[in-house]
Amino acid sequence: MFEEFCKCVGHTPMVRLGPNLYAKLETFNPTGSVKDRIISFIVEKAIEAGDIGDGTTLVEATSGNTGIALSAAGAALGVPVKIIMPCNMSEERRSMMKLYGAEIIDVPPSDFARAIEIRNMLVLEEIDHWSPSQFENQNNILCHSLTTGPEIYDDLSSRGLEWSAFVSGAGTGGTMMGVRNFIKSQHALSTKCVLIIPEEDASCHGIQGINDGADFLLDVTMMDSTYRVSTQDATQRSSLLARDHGLLVGISAGANVVAAERWIKENNPEGAVVTLLCDRGERYMSIL
């Protein structure tokens, strides 16, 4: 079943949200988020390398979407999954993981350092435990270099559009760095990479999935510009995407669109500005 899961990942549609503004609709992935990309990619490589077998337990520290994707992958493989996550993540995300059969281990609110510490301890002490190590694994970046970046480029090219900017927040940093690496590999592109940071501190902002307290795989020096977005603005924009476009998406998607619209207003680009609608909004119903 895992092979069938992987076949459903990626090649997500791109939608036009306004003048010069386009978004990859990552809700079309099997569990409804962009994180299906890295989990299918990394787990598949681990299976090929013999690191995952019938008796393996999959374990990861996560704010939610990677945990949901890994829980689904574990269900498809028929192996146990343990998820370590801060207790202040949305209840809907937790419920989805449990429905896929995962065990959840709680840590204090927004304490991703502790979640990673427990993950590392489990992998070190239990010989049958394996982790995709999303915060450190270079295959996280490679996945987006080989899939997300080329998909955006091909879609824009098919529409006869130039690519002016890519706008995104960063959780692990894999998406931003992967797309950035693809852009740089295409020497004819002059696409700008625009990073989103929550306006509030990492310990208290409500834009789940970005700025989890460290840069991890992200190299901030490689970004062309940075925009700060408040939790309130991100949440309101997420709600408007549902009401105005019929797109029920998460809070980080709202933040992405807020920043992209600001960048367009300030730079008046001739080409397309692309962002991601990272996940479905059902997992935030209790806080939207």
Side-chain angles (χ1 to χ4, degrees):
M1 284 301 296
F2 180 68
E3 291 180 359
E4 299 304 313
F5 176 88
C6 291
K7 289 178 183 177
C8 299
V9 176
H11 300 288
T12 54
M14 186 181 291
V15 294
R16 183 177 181 272
L17 298 179
N20 300 96
L21 178 56
Y22 295 80
K24 282 283 273 182
L25 195 54
E26 293 298 298
T27 61
F28 272 63
N29 286 308
T31 75
S33 93
V34 65
K35 295 300 185 180
D36 286 340
R37 290 180 181 267
I38 64 166
I39 289 302
S40 61
F41 189 83
I42 294 172
V43 169
E44 192 169 44
K45 285 190 173 296
I47 292 171
E48 292 171 356
D51 295 332
I52 296 177
D54 293 339
T56 303
T57 295
L58 311 183
V59 57
E60 183 58 291
T62 173
S63 63
N65 282 330
T66 300
I68 294 169
L70 189 66
S71 300
L77 288 167
V79 300
V81 177
K82 294 180 181 179
I83 301 298
I84 307 100
M85 65 187 297
C87 62
N88 60 324
M89 297 298 103
S90 69
E91 188 58 39
E92 292 88 348
R93 287 183 174 194
R94 302 161 68 85
S95 296
M96 290 178 70
M97 294 179 214
K98 291 177 182 177
L99 284 171
Y100 285 124
E103 173 190 349
I104 298 176
I105 301 170
D106 284 323
V107 297
S110 303
D111 194 350
F112 288 95
R114 179 58 178 160
I116 294 170
E117 181 183 354
I118 294 175
R119 179 203 67 186
N120 292 345
M121 180 182 66
L122 288 171
V123 172
L124 181 64
E125 295 181 355
E126 304 290 341
I127 60 172
D128 61 347
H129 283 44
W130 173 91
S131 176
S133 300
Q134 62 166 333
F135 297 101
E136 306 90 2
N137 196 332
Q138 292 294 315
N139 280 329
N140 184 340
I141 295 174
L142 181 61
C143 168
H144 292 289
S145 294
L146 296 177
T147 67
T148 315
E151 286 177 29
I152 294 171
Y153 178 76
D154 290 344
D155 201 328
L156 293 178
S157 296
S158 71
R159 302 176 190 220
L161 297 172
E162 297 294 327
W163 188 0
S164 291
F166 178 67
V167 182
S168 179
T172 65
T175 303
M176 177 57 86
M177 293 304 295
V179 173
R180 183 261 177 198
N181 287 354
F182 170 78
I183 289 168
K184 296 304 178 183
S185 73
Q186 306 296 306
H187 301 295
L189 290 178
S190 57
T191 310
K192 302 297 184 183
C193 290
V194 181
L195 176 67
I196 300 167
I197 299 175
E199 191 171 279
E200 304 89 352
D201 184 78
S203 64
C204 62
H205 76 79
I207 310 176
Q208 297 182 29
I210 69 172
N211 192 31
D212 291 334
D215 289 334
F216 301 113
L217 295 166
L218 180 71
D219 186 343
V220 180
T221 66
M222 294 182 178
M223 301 296 103
D224 294 294
S225 57
T226 300
Y227 280 71
R228 292 188 175 273
V229 177
S230 71
T231 299
Q232 181 179 2
D233 286 348
T235 303
Q236 289 178 347
R237 196 67 187 87
S238 176
S239 297
L240 286 174
L241 284 166
R243 295 172 187 172
D244 295 345
H245 296 276
L247 299 171
L248 187 60
V249 293
I251 300 170
S252 62
N256 285 351
V257 172
V258 167
E261 289 172 335
R262 289 179 186 170
W263 195 89
I264 289 171
K265 183 177 181 180
E266 292 177 10
N267 293 274
N268 192 29
E270 294 184 3
V273 174
V274 180
T275 190
L276 301 182
L277 301 181
C278 315
D279 61 3
R280 289 199 296 258
E282 293 96 326
R283 61 201 74 189
Y284 305 96
M285 295 294 286
S286 61
I287 55 179
L288 279 175

